[in-house]
Amino acid sequence: MYNIIKHAHSGVAYLALIFLLIAVINAFMGMSGNKEFKDKDKKIGLFALIFTHIQLLLGLVLYFVSPVVQSMGVAMKDSAMRLYALEHPLINIIAIVLITIGWSKHKKAMDSNAKFKKFAIFYTLGLILILSRIPWGAWLS
């Protein structure tokens, strides 16, 4: 079961990052071009939100079944284990909270530029945080 969840977590990560990157680029293009916020723009943001939340759920399940995350005391002494046990989950939860806030705030905004701006700010912060705590060595190998 652990390996299935681990592979799903890695696979969905690609989709989450792709949709998040597309949403960020779309938001900046919409802002800079003074474009009208359309249903397509909303769907792009929604797909990014959905895939990041799926990724979060898979990550939480993986966290609790992982043999890597056993003892927090041992993990604090090893930087690689600390990344898996503390830094990666905590920073990514914060990132997904920011993305969710961006989704909620865009719905309350009245004009198109404000909607794009909410996505641009919150989704970009979320993307930066996620990219900062990906265990690149393990993920790309």
Side-chain angles (χ1 to χ4, degrees):
M1 180 167 135
Y2 168 72
N3 283 329
I4 293 170
I5 296 169
K6 182 179 172 187
H7 289 300
H9 185 65
S10 292
V12 172
Y14 288 107
L15 294 172
L17 286 173
I18 289 168
F19 278 107
L20 200 51
L21 186 61
I22 290 169
V24 167
I25 291 168
N26 184 61
F28 279 106
M29 286 175 46
M31 265 182 16
S32 65
N34 287 326
K35 295 181 180 177
E36 185 68 28
F37 190 85
K38 296 185 178 172
D39 196 41
K40 163 192 81 79
D41 303 309
K42 182 178 177 180
K43 286 180 182 175
I44 290 171
L46 180 61
F47 279 121
L49 179 78
I50 289 169
F51 280 108
T52 55
H53 279 85
I54 291 170
Q55 183 68 355
L56 172 65
L57 292 174
L58 288 170
L60 288 173
V61 171
L62 187 61
Y63 185 82
F64 289 109
V65 300
S66 174
V68 176
V69 184
Q70 293 294 325
S71 169
M72 199 58 83
V74 174
M76 292 302 114
K77 295 174 185 167
D78 180 19
S79 64
M81 287 188 68
R82 185 176 58 242
L83 175 67
Y84 288 111
L86 180 68
E87 295 169 2
H88 178 75
L90 180 64
I91 297 300
N92 286 330
I93 288 170
I94 293 169
I96 293 170
V97 167
L98 287 170
I99 292 165
T100 306
I101 291 169
W103 175 259
S104 296
K105 287 195 171 284
H106 109 274
K107 293 191 297 186
K108 296 176 185 172
M110 297 306 225
D111 66 334
S112 292
N113 198 42
K115 289 179 183 286
F116 282 124
K117 189 174 184 179
K118 301 301 180 199
F119 276 164
I121 292 169
F122 288 98
Y123 280 46
T124 300
L125 288 173
L127 179 61
I128 290 169
L129 288 175
I130 289 170
L131 290 174
S132 76
R133 290 297 155 226
I134 290 177
W136 293 104
W139 193 41
L140 297 176
S141 63

